[in-house]
Amino acid sequence: MKGIVFVTGTDTGVGKTVLTAMLLAHLRDGGIDALAMKPFCSGSRGDARLLHSLEKECLTLETVNPFYFDKPLAPAADPKAAPIRKVLDKIRALAEMCEVLLVEGAGGLLAPLGKNYAAREIIAALRCRTIIVARNRLGVINHTLLTANALQQATKEELTIVLMQGKNRDLSSKTNPQMLRQRLGGTRVFLIPHVDFLRANTREIKKSARFLKKTLAGIL
């Protein structure tokens, strides 16, 4: 595979970084020249640091995360928010350096990142494959369908859904995957077993990536 894969979500804190990191570890372990970036971080750079830890021999933290805002707000709330052209230039420049570039969004698909754009507009401009990440719990069907519908209005490129399993499963977690498959036609829906977000580090990510090798390969 080659090109750009954008990892967005139904909300913040749904597991985008953990999934992106595992996909990166899986690709690199398989000999694929893969890189990952998180263009936007607000409040903390922890997500970008996790990705950087898996590729620090070839990228700086500033390359992984070129747009950092110290306040925990949507990036568009900062008067210094970058224009979409500048963001696309950063992504495309890094994509030229590798076979596969994973791009992790910030927040949900429509979280405002700059003047008149969100992740949806970036995805549409890049014409890239997209992975929508959501937490497998009550309410995920509505959130995922809304996100998928908003994305499909902007692009016809391939879409994949990944549900991240929580530590404490509710009754809906058993039926959510199939119900999403039924309502999204041929869209592929995958389930990732519980991964402790708070303990996610380089070693744990690589360990989880090896354990979930077949699932990660299917997602990609």
Side-chain angles (χ1 to χ4, degrees):
M1 62 174 296
K2 291 187 177 182
I4 299 172
V5 179
F6 200 103
V7 182
T8 188
T10 55
D11 199 354
T12 189
V14 295
K16 296 189 302 296
T17 302
V18 168
L19 179 64
T20 304
M22 289 194 298
L23 290 172
L24 177 63
H26 168 73
L27 287 168
R28 291 173 70 85
D29 190 52
I32 302 296
D33 181 14
L35 296 172
M37 71 184 301
K38 179 161 184 163
F40 299 90
C41 281
S42 297
S44 168
R45 249 180 168 173
D47 292 349
R49 291 185 189 281
L50 178 59
L51 298 180
H52 181 238
S53 71
L54 296 163
E55 52 190 351
K56 59 186 177 181
E57 77 281 359
C58 50
L59 295 179
T60 65
L61 179 60
E62 287 66 33
T63 303
V64 175
N65 172 224
F67 307 105
Y68 171 63
F69 306 94
D70 58 3
K71 294 182 175 59
L73 300 170
D78 194 295
K80 296 181 181 179
I84 189 171
R85 173 188 51 77
K86 188 173 182 180
V87 178
L88 292 171
D89 286 346
K90 293 285 187 181
I91 295 173
R92 287 167 174 152
L94 193 52
E96 289 293 325
M97 297 173 55
C98 59
E99 292 180 73
V100 180
L101 176 64
L102 302 169
V103 182
E104 182 196 345
L109 178 71
L110 300 182
L113 302 176
K115 186 177 180 180
N116 300 323
Y117 75 91
R120 179 175 62 178
E121 284 66 43
I122 294 175
I123 292 167
L126 294 172
R127 298 181 180 180
C128 61
R129 285 187 53 210
T130 308
I131 297 171
I132 295 177
V133 184
R135 294 297 297 273
N136 189 22
R137 60 190 175 191
L138 188 64
V140 74
I141 295 174
N142 177 66
H143 297 160
T144 305
L145 292 178
L146 286 171
T147 302
N149 182 62
L151 182 60
Q152 289 168 339
Q153 291 177 18
T155 177
K156 301 300 181 183
E157 299 299 326
E158 184 180 349
L159 168 64
T160 301
I161 307 294
V162 176
L163 300 180
M164 305 294 283
Q165 186 67 62
K167 182 177 181 181
N168 300 312
R169 304 182 184 182
D170 62 32
L171 189 60
S172 75
S173 66
K174 296 180 180 180
T175 59
N176 288 333
Q178 185 58 30
M179 292 187 74
L180 282 170
R181 291 187 186 102
Q182 292 172 352
R183 285 157 177 77
L184 287 171
T187 300
R188 300 179 306 154
V189 180
F190 294 87
L191 182 64
I192 294 290
H194 172 65
V195 177
D196 190 343
F197 294 2
L198 298 179
R199 291 185 57 195
N201 55 44
T202 308
R203 183 174 65 84
E204 291 297 325
I205 288 294
K206 289 182 176 181
K207 179 180 177 182
S208 296
R210 288 192 292 270
F211 178 71
L212 297 169
K213 181 178 180 179
K214 294 180 74 172
T215 301
L216 297 173
I219 292 171
L220 292 166

